[in-house]
Amino acid sequence: LCYKMGETLNDTMFKPFLIDAGYSATELGLILGVWGMFFSVSGSIFGGILVKYVTFKNALWITGTLRIIPLFGQVWLSMQPQLDPNITNLVLYAEHFFGGSITTVVFALMMSLVNQQFAATHFTAFATIEVLGKVPFGLLSGWITDQGSYTVTFTIGTGLSVAFLILIPFLHCKSNHSPI
């Protein structure tokens, strides 16, 4: 329910932030639509490989912690008077990569937890809860930005992603294999 709340808050406002910073529709199409998706898929592959070699909890720790780095990058970018395109792209691509990796880890975990008698229904319920966790923060992101700033929004989103890490030790999950 909560692993994507902060990331969703940031992601919803990152495109308007880039538009306000002077990025054109052509540039956004290339960096978000083409390269962003490439890095997201690459991150998903990384997440899938990771769960083969470490436990689900460790994979969540690794991908959740790495995901925070580009979210802090978004906070930092929002405080810059002028964006450096190379740094902006690095933050954007890292966010897509680690966002894709944690999503794959969470979906693999959800698949491991389904009751095999009702696997399709059970997994659909999990996936619905995963989506419902994102909705309120996508809706609130514009309001938070209007009341504060992009920096406030990105800071709250990053904080929520840090808070998710606190929940990992309390997660009860089947072991996918022996940890490394």
Side-chain angles (χ1 to χ4, degrees), residues 32-164:
L32 293 171
V34 177
W35 289 110
M37 288 302 107
F38 170 79
F39 282 98
S40 182
V41 170
S42 298
S44 292
I45 293 168
F46 170 75
I49 292 169
L50 187 64
V51 295
K52 183 177 168 122
Y53 294 103
V54 301
T55 64
F56 286 121
K57 282 186 181 183
N58 286 342
L60 284 172
W61 271 108
I62 292 165
T63 56
T65 301
L66 291 172
R67 172 184 62 171
I68 291 168
I69 297 167
L71 296 180
F72 274 117
Q74 291 175 336
V75 173
W76 182 80
L77 286 172
S78 71
M79 295 185 287
Q80 302 309 304
Q82 184 80 24
L83 296 183
D84 177 322
N86 294 321
I87 295 172
T88 303
N89 289 349
L90 179 64
V91 168
L92 180 99
Y93 300 151
E95 194 278 325
H96 276 74
F97 184 89
F98 294 118
S101 66
I102 195 169
T103 299
T104 298
V105 170
V106 168
F107 273 68
L109 172 61
M110 290 189 310
M111 286 188 280
S112 78
L113 295 174
V114 299
N115 180 323
Q116 291 304 306
Q117 283 184 295
F118 314 102
T121 303
H122 201 184
F123 184 78
T124 300
F126 279 151
T128 301
I129 292 168
E130 187 266 348
V131 169
L132 290 175
K134 297 182 219 179
V135 171
F137 291 91
L139 292 172
L140 288 173
S141 63
W143 181 82
I144 293 169
T145 303
D146 284 344
Q147 300 308 306
S149 65
Y150 288 116
T151 302
V152 169
T153 302
F154 297 157
T155 300
I156 293 169
T158 302
L160 288 169
S161 293
V162 170
F164 166 74

